[in-house]
PDB file of all heavy atoms in Angstrom:
ATOM      1  N   THR A 174      -4.260  12.717   0.047  1.00  0.00           N
ATOM      2  CA  THR A 174      -3.566  12.865  -1.247  1.00  0.00           C
ATOM      3  C   THR A 174      -2.361  13.717  -1.049  1.00  0.00           C
ATOM      4  O   THR A 174      -2.323  14.627  -0.236  1.00  0.00           O
ATOM      5  CB  THR A 174      -4.479  13.520  -2.304  1.00  0.00           C
ATOM      6  OG1 THR A 174      -4.913  14.858  -1.940  1.00  0.00           O
ATOM      7  CG2 THR A 174      -5.584  12.664  -2.589  1.00  0.00           C
ATOM      8  N   ARG A 175      -1.361  13.470  -1.786  1.00  0.00           N
ATOM      9  CA  ARG A 175      -0.081  14.307  -1.780  1.00  0.00           C
ATOM     10  C   ARG A 175      -0.325  15.674  -2.105  1.00  0.00           C
ATOM     11  O   ARG A 175       0.256  16.668  -1.495  1.00  0.00           O
ATOM     12  CB  ARG A 175       1.015  13.706  -2.609  1.00  0.00           C
ATOM     13  CG  ARG A 175       2.003  12.919  -1.861  1.00  0.00           C
ATOM     14  CD  ARG A 175       3.204  12.548  -2.680  1.00  0.00           C
ATOM     15  NE  ARG A 175       2.794  12.048  -4.007  1.00  0.00           N
ATOM     16  CZ  ARG A 175       3.444  11.265  -4.750  1.00  0.00           C
ATOM     17  NH1 ARG A 175       4.529  10.798  -4.361  1.00  0.00           N
ATOM     18  NH2 ARG A 175       2.876  10.889  -5.910  1.00  0.00           N
ATOM     19  N   ALA A 176      -1.161  15.931  -3.186  1.00  0.00           N
ATOM     20  CA  ALA A 176      -1.377  17.277  -3.638  1.00  0.00           C
ATOM     21  C   ALA A 176      -2.259  18.021  -2.667  1.00  0.00           C
ATOM     22  O   ALA A 176      -2.058  19.193  -2.472  1.00  0.00           O
ATOM     23  CB  ALA A 176      -2.021  17.222  -5.027  1.00  0.00           C
ATOM     24  N   GLY A 177      -3.309  17.393  -2.129  1.00  0.00           N
ATOM     25  CA  GLY A 177      -4.290  18.030  -1.321  1.00  0.00           C
ATOM     26  C   GLY A 177      -3.892  18.219   0.093  1.00  0.00           C
ATOM     27  O   GLY A 177      -4.146  19.320   0.700  1.00  0.00           O
ATOM     28  N   GLN A 178      -3.391  17.233   0.740  1.00  0.00           N
ATOM     29  CA  GLN A 178      -3.001  17.170   2.113  1.00  0.00           C
ATOM     30  C   GLN A 178      -1.625  16.604   2.304  1.00  0.00           C
ATOM     31  O   GLN A 178      -1.472  15.537   2.791  1.00  0.00           O
ATOM     32  CB  GLN A 178      -3.976  16.345   2.857  1.00  0.00           C
ATOM     33  CG  GLN A 178      -5.499  16.894   2.756  1.00  0.00           C
ATOM     34  CD  GLN A 178      -6.451  15.772   2.917  1.00  0.00           C
ATOM     35  OE1 GLN A 178      -6.225  14.608   2.499  1.00  0.00           O
ATOM     36  NE2 GLN A 178      -7.568  16.110   3.516  1.00  0.00           N
ATOM     37  N   PRO A 179      -0.578  17.329   1.954  1.00  0.00           N
ATOM     38  CA  PRO A 179       0.785  16.746   2.049  1.00  0.00           C
ATOM     39  C   PRO A 179       1.181  16.350   3.398  1.00  0.00           C
ATOM     40  O   PRO A 179       1.820  15.237   3.585  1.00  0.00           O
ATOM     41  CB  PRO A 179       1.711  17.795   1.432  1.00  0.00           C
ATOM     42  CG  PRO A 179       0.887  19.071   1.551  1.00  0.00           C
ATOM     43  CD  PRO A 179      -0.602  18.681   1.522  1.00  0.00           C
ATOM     44  N   LEU A 180       0.963  17.058   4.430  1.00  0.00           N
ATOM     45  CA  LEU A 180       1.287  16.651   5.774  1.00  0.00           C
ATOM     46  C   LEU A 180       0.646  15.471   6.252  1.00  0.00           C
ATOM     47  O   LEU A 180       1.192  14.474   6.744  1.00  0.00           O
ATOM     48  CB  LEU A 180       1.047  17.864   6.776  1.00  0.00           C
ATOM     49  CG  LEU A 180       1.445  17.535   8.234  1.00  0.00           C
ATOM     50  CD1 LEU A 180       2.955  17.315   8.298  1.00  0.00           C
ATOM     51  CD2 LEU A 180       0.986  18.694   9.117  1.00  0.00           C
ATOM     52  N   GLY A 181      -0.682  15.273   6.050  1.00  0.00           N
ATOM     53  CA  GLY A 181      -1.423  14.087   6.402  1.00  0.00           C
ATOM     54  C   GLY A 181      -0.937  12.904   5.631  1.00  0.00           C
ATOM     55  O   GLY A 181      -0.832  11.830   6.243  1.00  0.00           O
ATOM     56  N   TYR A 182      -0.661  13.099   4.362  1.00  0.00           N
ATOM     57  CA  TYR A 182      -0.139  12.035   3.548  1.00  0.00           C
ATOM     58  C   TYR A 182       1.129  11.463   4.104  1.00  0.00           C
ATOM     59  O   TYR A 182       1.283  10.260   4.256  1.00  0.00           O
ATOM     60  CB  TYR A 182      -0.053  12.478   2.081  1.00  0.00           C
ATOM     61  CG  TYR A 182       0.639  11.470   1.241  1.00  0.00           C
ATOM     62  CD1 TYR A 182      -0.145  10.555   0.557  1.00  0.00           C
ATOM     63  CD2 TYR A 182       1.994  11.433   0.985  1.00  0.00           C
ATOM     64  CE1 TYR A 182       0.483   9.507  -0.237  1.00  0.00           C
ATOM     65  CE2 TYR A 182       2.573  10.434   0.159  1.00  0.00           C
ATOM     66  CZ  TYR A 182       1.795   9.512  -0.450  1.00  0.00           C
ATOM     67  OH  TYR A 182       2.329   8.578  -1.190  1.00  0.00           O
ATOM     68  N   TRP A 183       2.106  12.310   4.385  1.00  0.00           N
ATOM     69  CA  TRP A 183       3.412  11.843   4.844  1.00  0.00           C
ATOM     70  C   TRP A 183       3.348  11.242   6.240  1.00  0.00           C
ATOM     71  O   TRP A 183       4.147  10.403   6.534  1.00  0.00           O
ATOM     72  CB  TRP A 183       4.452  12.879   4.653  1.00  0.00           C
ATOM     73  CG  TRP A 183       4.732  13.144   3.215  1.00  0.00           C
ATOM     74  CD1 TRP A 183       4.473  14.257   2.510  1.00  0.00           C
ATOM     75  CD2 TRP A 183       5.422  12.263   2.301  1.00  0.00           C
ATOM     76  NE1 TRP A 183       4.853  14.170   1.170  1.00  0.00           N
ATOM     77  CE2 TRP A 183       5.416  12.937   1.060  1.00  0.00           C
ATOM     78  CE3 TRP A 183       5.876  11.004   2.438  1.00  0.00           C
ATOM     79  CZ2 TRP A 183       5.971  12.324  -0.049  1.00  0.00           C
ATOM     80  CZ3 TRP A 183       6.446  10.387   1.270  1.00  0.00           C
ATOM     81  CH2 TRP A 183       6.472  11.041   0.107  1.00  0.00           C
ATOM     82  N   VAL A 184       2.454  11.847   7.070  1.00  0.00           N
ATOM     83  CA  VAL A 184       2.388  11.220   8.413  1.00  0.00           C
ATOM     84  C   VAL A 184       1.768   9.812   8.339  1.00  0.00           C
ATOM     85  O   VAL A 184       2.335   8.859   8.927  1.00  0.00           O
ATOM     86  CB  VAL A 184       1.516  12.122   9.280  1.00  0.00           C
ATOM     87  CG1 VAL A 184       1.036  11.412  10.608  1.00  0.00           C
ATOM     88  CG2 VAL A 184       2.190  13.431   9.654  1.00  0.00           C
ATOM     89  N   MET A 185       0.648   9.621   7.552  1.00  0.00           N
ATOM     90  CA  MET A 185       0.162   8.318   7.403  1.00  0.00           C
ATOM     91  C   MET A 185       1.156   7.356   6.633  1.00  0.00           C
ATOM     92  O   MET A 185       1.217   6.195   6.970  1.00  0.00           O
ATOM     93  CB  MET A 185      -1.154   8.335   6.613  1.00  0.00           C
ATOM     94  CG  MET A 185      -2.317   8.850   7.422  1.00  0.00           C
ATOM     95  SD  MET A 185      -2.554   8.015   9.028  1.00  0.00           S
ATOM     96  CE  MET A 185      -2.712   6.300   8.491  1.00  0.00           C
ATOM     97  N   PHE A 186       1.929   7.888   5.741  1.00  0.00           N
ATOM     98  CA  PHE A 186       2.846   7.083   4.959  1.00  0.00           C
ATOM     99  C   PHE A 186       3.963   6.542   6.049  1.00  0.00           C
ATOM    100  O   PHE A 186       4.273   5.347   6.046  1.00  0.00           O
ATOM    101  CB  PHE A 186       3.533   7.906   3.948  1.00  0.00           C
ATOM    102  CG  PHE A 186       4.566   7.166   3.141  1.00  0.00           C
ATOM    103  CD1 PHE A 186       4.207   6.422   1.962  1.00  0.00           C
ATOM    104  CD2 PHE A 186       5.945   7.124   3.503  1.00  0.00           C
ATOM    105  CE1 PHE A 186       5.079   5.781   1.197  1.00  0.00           C
ATOM    106  CE2 PHE A 186       6.824   6.360   2.673  1.00  0.00           C
ATOM    107  CZ  PHE A 186       6.448   5.722   1.559  1.00  0.00           C
ATOM    108  N   ALA A 187       4.396   7.392   6.996  1.00  0.00           N
ATOM    109  CA  ALA A 187       5.361   7.040   7.955  1.00  0.00           C
ATOM    110  C   ALA A 187       4.756   6.023   8.937  1.00  0.00           C
ATOM    111  O   ALA A 187       5.379   5.037   9.277  1.00  0.00           O
ATOM    112  CB  ALA A 187       5.805   8.199   8.676  1.00  0.00           C
ATOM    113  N   LEU A 188       3.509   6.198   9.377  1.00  0.00           N
ATOM    114  CA  LEU A 188       2.792   5.308  10.268  1.00  0.00           C
ATOM    115  C   LEU A 188       2.682   3.872   9.641  1.00  0.00           C
ATOM    116  O   LEU A 188       2.902   2.917  10.376  1.00  0.00           O
ATOM    117  CB  LEU A 188       1.446   5.812  10.690  1.00  0.00           C
ATOM    118  CG  LEU A 188       1.547   7.080  11.699  1.00  0.00           C
ATOM    119  CD1 LEU A 188       0.152   7.558  11.978  1.00  0.00           C
ATOM    120  CD2 LEU A 188       2.221   6.686  12.957  1.00  0.00           C
ATOM    121  N   TYR A 189       2.232   3.830   8.355  1.00  0.00           N
ATOM    122  CA  TYR A 189       2.136   2.540   7.688  1.00  0.00           C
ATOM    123  C   TYR A 189       3.484   1.835   7.577  1.00  0.00           C
ATOM    124  O   TYR A 189       3.622   0.679   7.871  1.00  0.00           O
ATOM    125  CB  TYR A 189       1.613   2.742   6.244  1.00  0.00           C
ATOM    126  CG  TYR A 189       0.144   2.769   6.104  1.00  0.00           C
ATOM    127  CD1 TYR A 189      -0.534   3.699   5.319  1.00  0.00           C
ATOM    128  CD2 TYR A 189      -0.577   1.730   6.692  1.00  0.00           C
ATOM    129  CE1 TYR A 189      -1.974   3.590   5.176  1.00  0.00           C
ATOM    130  CE2 TYR A 189      -2.045   1.583   6.485  1.00  0.00           C
ATOM    131  CZ  TYR A 189      -2.637   2.615   5.729  1.00  0.00           C
ATOM    132  OH  TYR A 189      -3.986   2.461   5.505  1.00  0.00           O
ATOM    133  N   GLY A 190       4.520   2.606   7.294  1.00  0.00           N
ATOM    134  CA  GLY A 190       5.880   2.006   7.162  1.00  0.00           C
ATOM    135  C   GLY A 190       6.407   1.568   8.516  1.00  0.00           C
ATOM    136  O   GLY A 190       6.934   0.465   8.626  1.00  0.00           O
ATOM    137  N   ILE A 191       6.167   2.266   9.612  1.00  0.00           N
ATOM    138  CA  ILE A 191       6.619   1.924  10.911  1.00  0.00           C
ATOM    139  C   ILE A 191       5.873   0.702  11.397  1.00  0.00           C
ATOM    140  O   ILE A 191       6.476  -0.214  11.991  1.00  0.00           O
ATOM    141  CB  ILE A 191       6.454   3.072  11.963  1.00  0.00           C
ATOM    142  CG1 ILE A 191       7.546   4.187  11.566  1.00  0.00           C
ATOM    143  CG2 ILE A 191       6.671   2.655  13.427  1.00  0.00           C
ATOM    144  CD1 ILE A 191       7.319   5.504  12.226  1.00  0.00           C
ATOM    145  N   GLY A 192       4.601   0.656  11.166  1.00  0.00           N
ATOM    146  CA  GLY A 192       3.792  -0.476  11.555  1.00  0.00           C
ATOM    147  C   GLY A 192       4.151  -1.754  10.780  1.00  0.00           C
ATOM    148  O   GLY A 192       4.209  -2.817  11.419  1.00  0.00           O
ATOM    149  N   GLY A 193       4.430  -1.669   9.539  1.00  0.00           N
ATOM    150  CA  GLY A 193       4.834  -2.740   8.755  1.00  0.00           C
ATOM    151  C   GLY A 193       6.171  -3.305   9.190  1.00  0.00           C
ATOM    152  O   GLY A 193       6.441  -4.446   9.249  1.00  0.00           O
TER     153      GLY A 193
END
Side-chain angles (χ1 to χ4, degrees):
T174 59
R175 258 190 316 208
Q178 302 153 323
L180 181 62
Y182 174 84
W183 289 111
V184 167
M185 285 309 300
F186 185 87
L188 288 175
Y189 269 133
I191 291 169

